Amino acid sequence: MQKKYYTVLVAALMMLTGSAQHPLKHWTDAIEIRYDSRQPVINYFLTVDSSNFSSFEVTMQIRNIPDTFYIGMVAHPEYDDRYWRYVTDLSVETKKGGGKIVREDSAKWKITGNGGIASLHYKINLPSTGDAIRSSWKAYLTPTGGLVGGPHSFMYIIGAPLAPSSISLKIPEGWQIVTGLQSTSDPNTFFASSTWVLIDDPIFVGKVKNWSFKVDGIPHRVTYWSLPDAKTFDTAALLSSIQKLVEQAAFLFGRLPYREFSFMLQDGASGALEHNNSVTVGAPSAQLANNVNSILSEITHEYFHTWNLVRIHTAEYEDVSYKTPPLSKGLWWSEGLTIFYTDLLMRRAGLPVFDSSRLNHLETLIRRYSSTPAYLKFSAEKISMASYAPAGFLGDYSASTHLQGEVLGALLDLMIRDATNGKRSIDDVMRIMMERFSGPKGFTSKDIEQIITGICGNNVHQFFQNHVYGNKQIDFNKYLKLIGLEHQLEWKEALSNDNKPVPDLRIFPYQLPGENITRIGITNPLSCWGRAGLHTGDIIKSVNGKSIASASDFRPLIRNAQRGDTILMEIERPAGVSKISIVVSGYQQAVAHLTQIAASTEKQKRLYEQWLSAK
Ligand SMILES: [Zn+2]
């Protein structure tokens, strides 16, 4: 999802005998202790106190533990919320009394006891979101419910990825529990077969409404937590739409890879995150009352990640770790093809989509892609890496791996349709990816190239060489022609929704972790800001004489700029402080026109009709 979709990562789960097993990959944590033969066993107790919703408490009762061991808090590869900042009152009891705790790193603690057993206790003091809308995947508590579990709640034993655990919840009376964790005969106790399973599955608690349906005999639950002043909306319509999406995914892959699935929808929140067998989705009731379909694309995107990202995972995303994982070269596939299928599954399910037709959708993609020079400068793998890299990774450019991946997926689909005379499509690639990469092994772009080569019978190496590993300009007409289409590109003044020329505001402020200074980011070197001599990474001292202490000081000064305004910026670089004057201009955007070639062959026409109908 557009960066507001937060994606999980990691690993793959195999469904064996109905329970999730974690396919062990590599030892991601280079640690001092490896539990090769005897894994620790942990009983977690999480308590929500009805007299205090600003924190919750966790006890870890651990067995099979040596004298010295390490605990950590998992860094999510895509959104590391660093909840280790909110841990307080950490204590340890061992069989001979209190043990010793040394914090060795921000998210890593060394515990020394007497071996055998240990009981750890800590509190998570929940941060306030202030006026900002809450992100749907973050832990929160209110008098009527909240979200706990996952990397925001549970410490883990470093080096013991196969440690099984039970999770017992003590919650206020009248609250329900909704989670993808495996249930037990005790309604308040759940089971996680590995650290990955424990950390991946959020736990929704509170006074919630539940609806359910089955697809292929598999139960699906839709849960809604509402604010006290919630508006009513058409829940039957929402439920029916979600069921149609599930049916389309089951049809595409031929099976559902989980024992049950929970859609956890939350009032008063935004953003969404996928998990092994659940999604957390911000779903404000006022927005749903206005248009109940407005969150369907977000739900579809996260739900599709259940396959493409959680199970079919990139080679760089391995097991859980308290350290941030390496940047991934494969997100063009994980995000780009997921957004490709968001549009496609919604069309196949007969749900309302943003663009009126696939032709219109492709036109929009080509327009957005062509308007951004970063795609001519950086390969898809490099832009994948930029997705979760620090701001400024691409210098004076910015780009979306979601958009680039969707464009590449759309063109590969056309190549496969042409090479197989309409018998195969990118659907076949996705199914093979699921069979080959839902286990311990993650994929690389080379693997995708080999699968497509196998399906097409043609070598697609040049395409990958040019556009995935390299940064050659795409000749769109070469691929559009395969289904009898051609396009023309025009450059036009960028306009507002009411057709007025808009000012070029393609500049943004940012702060790097650990820095107290505000820097600027340029998204296009040909913007009025880039042409005036500004560069990504410049430190902003003042704008029009007003000193800048934070990003929020900068935004209003720029947001209200008009075409023709002159802005004086004082910036600092290693060479010193200088003043730069910028005249705010308008800017040009690409417009794509797709048309059918008049002299299309019968094959081109047939492939076009098949493609257009989302088959
Ligand atoms: Zn995503």
Side-chain angles (χ1 to χ4, degrees):
M1 12 205 167
Q2 333 344 350
K3 216 67 178 169
K4 74 172 172 166
Y5 294 96
Y6 296 88
T7 321
V8 161
L9 51 128
V10 189
L13 298 186
M14 293 183 286
M15 307 304 294
L16 295 176
T17 62
S19 69
Q21 303 289 318
H22 182 227
L24 178 61
K25 299 168 189 168
H26 305 277
W27 297 97
T28 310
D29 290 326
I31 34 76
E32 297 79 353
I33 297 172
R34 289 184 178 181
Y35 301 85
D36 289 328
S37 57
R38 200 172 187 215
Q39 294 284 320
V41 179
I42 310 157
N43 301 110
Y44 289 91
F45 298 87
L46 190 152
T47 305
V48 176
D49 180 350
S50 57
S51 65
N52 175 10
F53 294 107
S54 64
S55 67
F56 56 85
E57 299 193 18
V58 179
T59 298
M60 289 169 74
Q61 289 179 353
I62 310 166
R63 283 173 284 137
N64 297 348
I65 200 76
D67 290 351
T68 298
F69 60 100
Y70 296 84
I71 54 168
M73 287 188 89
V74 170
H76 193 287
E78 288 154 354
Y79 69 93
D80 181 11
D81 291 325
R82 302 179 298 147
Y83 264 46
W84 44 260
R85 292 175 294 171
Y86 311 123
V87 173
T88 62
D89 305 280
L90 177 60
S91 63
V92 59
E93 285 293 317
T94 69
K95 59 187 170 192
K96 290 188 188 163
K100 193 173 159 200
I101 302 173
V102 177
R103 193 169 196 163
E104 290 204 337
D105 200 345
S106 47
K108 180 188 176 192
W109 293 259
K110 181 180 180 181
I111 313 289
T112 311
N114 317 113
I117 58 167
S119 178
L120 285 164
H121 185 86
Y122 58 90
K123 216 184 217 188
I124 301 285
N125 283 300
L126 293 164
S128 161
T129 55
D131 293 335
I133 189 160
R134 183 173 51 77
S135 299
S136 70
W137 65 91
K138 288 190 186 176
Y140 75 102
L141 284 174
T142 74
T144 59
L147 190 76
V148 293
H152 303 91
S153 297
F154 295 128
M155 293 188 172
Y156 76 108
I157 298 174
I158 297 174
L162 292 181
S165 56
S166 70
I167 303 96
S168 296
L169 300 177
K170 195 172 168 201
I171 52 175
E173 194 147 337
W175 283 25
Q176 297 175 58
I177 303 169
V178 175
T179 177
L181 290 168
Q182 199 168 1
S183 55
T184 69
S185 56
D186 175 350
N188 284 12
T189 299
F190 299 85
F191 174 72
S193 54
S194 70
T195 306
W196 189 87
V197 172
L198 170 80
I199 294 300
D200 175 61
D201 273 319
I203 307 170
F204 209 17
V205 289
K207 294 174 181 170
V208 295
K209 290 197 180 101
N210 288 302
W211 301 268
S212 62
F213 59 85
K214 283 187 178 175
V215 171
D216 291 350
I218 306 284
H220 293 72
R221 166 168 56 180
V222 178
T223 300
Y224 194 74
W225 174 81
S226 48
L227 289 167
D229 58 350
K231 294 229 162 86
T232 56
F233 57 89
D234 188 347
T235 51
L238 182 62
L239 199 67
S240 153
S241 297
I242 294 174
Q243 181 166 350
K244 285 177 187 161
L245 289 169
V246 174
E247 287 165 353
Q248 286 304 324
F251 185 71
L252 168 63
F253 286 101
R255 64 194 162 95
L256 296 169
Y258 42 73
R259 71 177 192 285
E260 65 172 357
F261 199 93
S262 300
F263 295 88
M264 303 178 183
L265 312 186
Q266 300 164 35
D267 202 355
S270 68
L273 186 67
E274 72 287 348
H275 303 279
N276 162 46
N277 62 344
S278 65
V279 287
T280 43
V281 182
S285 63
Q287 182 186 325
L288 291 169
N290 186 40
N291 177 5
V292 78
N293 297 320
S294 62
I295 59 164
L296 289 182
S297 65
E298 205 154 358
I299 290 176
T300 313
H301 184 106
E302 299 310 327
Y303 180 61
F304 198 78
H305 273 323
T306 302
W307 285 266
N308 194 35
L309 189 62
V310 176
R311 286 173 176 75
I312 306 168
H313 61 97
T314 72
E316 294 87 353
Y317 288 169
E318 298 184 325
D319 214 329
V320 292
S321 175
Y322 64 95
K323 290 182 248 173
T324 310
L327 299 174
S328 171
K329 291 180 179 173
L331 294 181
W332 70 271
W333 180 269
S334 303
E335 290 296 351
L337 272 291
T338 296
I339 207 155
F340 175 90
Y341 274 100
T342 302
D343 179 74
L344 196 52
L345 283 196
M346 288 178 71
R347 287 182 198 279
R348 288 174 178 172
L351 300 175
V353 283
F354 186 75
D355 292 308
S356 58
S357 67
R358 284 198 92 184
L359 188 69
N360 191 242
H361 186 70
L362 189 54
E363 221 168 42
T364 306
L365 285 183
I366 295 174
R367 169 181 64 73
R368 290 172 55 212
Y369 182 91
S370 302
S371 294
T372 307
Y375 302 119
L376 305 182
K377 179 97 181 155
F378 303 103
S379 69
E381 291 197 327
K382 181 85 175 178
I383 290 174
S384 293
M385 292 170 74
S387 250
Y388 296 102
F393 187 77
L394 297 178
D396 291 343
Y397 296 84
S398 82
S400 155
T401 198
H402 297 71
L403 172 64
Q404 188 176 30
E406 187 177 6
V407 167
L408 296 179
L411 301 185
L412 287 167
D413 184 40
L414 300 185
M415 290 164 69
I416 297 166
R417 287 169 187 273
D418 172 66
T420 61
N421 199 15
K423 291 193 178 70
R424 315 288 290 272
S425 74
I426 200 90
D427 284 356
D428 297 279
V429 183
M430 197 50 86
R431 284 190 281 264
I432 295 172
M433 289 289 281
M434 180 65 184
E435 298 313 321
R436 289 202 191 156
F437 296 104
S438 64
K441 188 175 182 302
F443 71 84
T444 63
S445 302
K446 196 81 198 161
D447 293 315
I448 303 166
E449 180 192 328
Q450 281 169 355
I451 289 173
I452 298 178
T453 299
I455 292 174
C456 283
N458 292 339
N459 196 330
V460 293
H461 178 65
Q462 201 57 49
F463 182 92
F464 275 74
Q465 196 61 40
N466 289 346
H467 309 305
V468 177
Y469 319 124
N471 59 348
K472 284 235 174 86
Q473 183 158 12
I474 293 177
D475 175 2
F476 280 105
N477 279 336
K478 178 177 169 187
Y479 304 104
L480 294 170
K481 189 176 71 183
L482 302 175
I483 58 167
L485 294 176
E486 63 184 354
H487 95 304
Q488 285 181 320
L489 211 58
E490 255 189 291
W491 287 87
K492 286 192 166 173
E493 189 77 23
L495 300 174
S496 61
N497 289 341
D498 53 356
N499 283 327
K500 296 205 173 97
V502 294
D504 182 354
L505 303 182
R506 295 175 295 174
I507 184 170
F508 64 94
Y510 69 91
Q511 284 186 322
L512 291 175
E515 281 192 352
N516 255 339
I517 47 180
T518 306
R519 297 176 184 271
I520 49 166
I522 302 290
T523 67
N524 184 333
L526 297 179
S527 64
C528 60
W529 313 92
R531 282 185 281 117
L534 292 168
H535 293 290
T536 294
D538 289 344
I539 300 165
I540 323 167
K541 307 296 286 181
S542 71
V543 174
N544 291 339
K546 290 183 184 145
S547 61
I548 302 292
S550 69
S552 54
D553 291 342
F554 180 80
R555 288 195 190 93
L557 295 171
I558 298 303
R559 193 186 302 135
N560 299 326
Q562 300 294 319
R563 284 157 55 104
D565 285 356
T566 299
I567 291 183
L568 189 64
M569 278 201 196
E570 191 182 15
I571 57 124
E572 184 183 330
R573 292 173 180 158
V577 174
S578 57
K579 287 185 176 169
I580 292 184
S581 173
I582 306 102
V583 178
V584 178
S585 65
Y587 64 102
Q588 301 269 304
Q589 269 186 333
V591 180
H593 300 285
L594 283 185
T595 48
Q596 276 187 277
I597 299 167
S600 294
T601 63
E602 284 309 310
K603 178 185 171 187
Q604 285 168 327
K605 284 179 191 160
R606 180 165 43 79
L607 293 183
Y608 173 71
E609 289 305 327
Q610 193 184 38
W611 171 83
L612 191 66
S613 63
K615 288 195 177 114

